[in-house]
Amino acid sequence: MSRLGQRIADKRVRWIIRRFLQAGVMENAELTATTEGAPQGGPLSPLLANLVLDELDKEMERRGLRFVRYADDCNVYLRSERAASNAFENLTGFIEGKMKLKVNCAKSAVDRPWARKLLGSSFLPGKGAKRRIAPKALAKAKERIRELTKIGRFNFEAIMAQLNRYLVGWLGYFRFCQTPSVLKELETWTRRRLRHLIWRQWKCGSTRFSELVKRGANREDAAKLAGSSHGSWHNSRTPLLSLVFPNAWFASYGLPPFNVSS
């Protein structure tokens, strides 16, 4: 609040912010008073983080460091491990000593740029320094797609509506990565996941045979696939299923393209 007083002359604005900070949080349906800090995930947190950490930005600029910071998440880039270790120690001392803030040691480290991530992004190793989707962010996306396409109550239109909402937001954030092959693989895997879902829903061989023929498959090929002893995940990548459920078919249900925007 002292920092706010240095920047905001209007007392009404400062009063509103103070009330936000003192409003408390709901825990297990009970109101708990807040005595310090801002509630986790609150809309005020990143704004106040920028206000408080502006002093850190200026300190890093004064030291000639190259860094990227978003709210309380920050990466600093140096040429050698020794320089990085010195900067890590000095900046930790500055943050905890002068700014009276606590550094999360469990999430902080000196490491290669491609071994760390920032806001779900990382770098490819080597001289190119291409942006890539961090492995954890990619794994989290696949897990979410699995949840949205899990076997259970089957309403394909509802599943596609939920999946499309998620993918539009996710791709809007990550499609500017410089590794298009990763997005292409995820797109292929997503369509295969949907074919797997449909194949599982058809269940018995007679249903599978009739559905394949209905969609234009050759009767002999349809009979072979319908009687296959392989599992549904194996069959989901067969040429025949790709033929009866082409990419355009999924696009007709609104599946967005995963291509990289320039």
Side-chain angles (χ1 to χ4, degrees):
M1 293 307 300
S2 174
R3 297 286 182 85
L4 286 173
Q6 297 171 13
R7 291 173 173 263
I8 303 174
D10 193 329
K11 292 183 179 179
R12 296 169 298 179
V13 175
R14 300 204 303 269
W15 181 85
I16 291 172
I17 294 174
R18 181 183 288 276
R19 295 295 293 164
F20 262 108
L21 294 173
Q22 295 176 336
V25 294
M26 294 295 292
E27 294 180 327
N28 300 322
E30 293 186 5
L31 181 64
T32 303
T34 48
T35 57
E36 63 180 2
Q40 180 79 19
L44 199 59
S45 297
L47 199 136
L48 292 180
N50 282 335
L51 178 72
V52 172
L53 295 176
D54 183 59
E55 183 179 356
L56 176 62
D57 292 346
K58 287 183 169 54
E59 177 64 18
M60 289 191 289
E61 288 173 353
R62 187 185 68 79
R63 297 184 185 199
L65 298 175
R66 294 185 178 185
F67 66 94
V68 178
R69 183 182 67 79
Y70 182 88
D72 63 342
D73 202 353
C74 183
N75 277 9
V76 183
Y77 302 100
L78 295 106
R79 291 184 178 276
S80 69
E81 183 178 356
R82 181 178 179 181
S85 297
N86 289 337
F88 183 85
E89 183 178 346
N90 292 334
L91 288 175
T92 299
F94 178 82
I95 293 169
E96 296 187 336
K98 184 172 181 180
M99 300 184 68
K100 309 301 180 185
L101 299 173
K102 186 175 178 61
V103 174
N104 188 335
C105 295
K107 294 184 178 180
S108 304
V110 174
D111 210 338
R112 298 287 189 182
W114 48 85
R116 307 296 294 175
K117 67 181 181 66
L118 179 70
L119 304 176
S121 296
S122 184
F123 294 102
L124 282 176
K127 295 182 178 180
K130 290 184 177 180
R131 297 186 308 277
R132 66 167 178 168
I133 303 169
K136 285 186 178 180
L138 193 61
K140 187 176 180 181
K142 294 184 78 170
E143 183 58 35
R144 180 59 178 154
I145 293 170
R146 285 191 188 95
E147 290 176 6
L148 293 172
T149 59
K150 63 184 176 182
I151 307 300
R153 288 188 305 169
F154 187 80
N155 182 328
F156 193 75
E157 291 186 358
I159 288 172
M160 289 302 297
Q162 287 183 310
L163 180 63
N164 292 340
R165 279 197 296 271
Y166 171 73
L167 287 175
V168 166
W170 192 88
L171 290 168
Y173 185 86
F174 283 110
R175 70 176 359 137
F176 291 97
C177 73
Q178 295 173 308
T179 52
S181 61
V182 173
L183 289 178
K184 186 63 178 176
E185 289 174 7
L186 182 63
E187 184 177 22
T188 301
W189 179 86
T190 301
R191 286 196 296 264
R192 183 182 178 187
R193 178 76 189 173
L194 291 168
R195 293 186 184 103
H196 167 254
L197 176 67
I198 296 168
W199 191 249
R200 284 288 298 270
Q201 181 61 26
W202 287 347
K203 295 181 180 177
C204 64
S206 59
T207 302
R208 290 170 175 174
F209 173 77
S210 61
E211 291 289 348
L212 288 171
V213 172
K214 186 191 302 182
R215 287 167 171 76
N218 177 282
R219 294 181 68 87
E220 183 180 350
D221 292 337
K224 287 181 180 179
L225 185 58
S228 172
S229 60
H230 293 295
S232 55
W233 182 244
H234 178 277
N235 290 333
S236 65
R237 67 177 300 176
T238 56
L240 186 57
L241 269 190
S242 297
L243 178 68
V244 298
F245 294 115
N247 297 352
W249 188 83
F250 292 112
S252 71
Y253 276 90
L255 188 70
F258 287 46
N259 60 294
V260 180
S261 300
S262 58

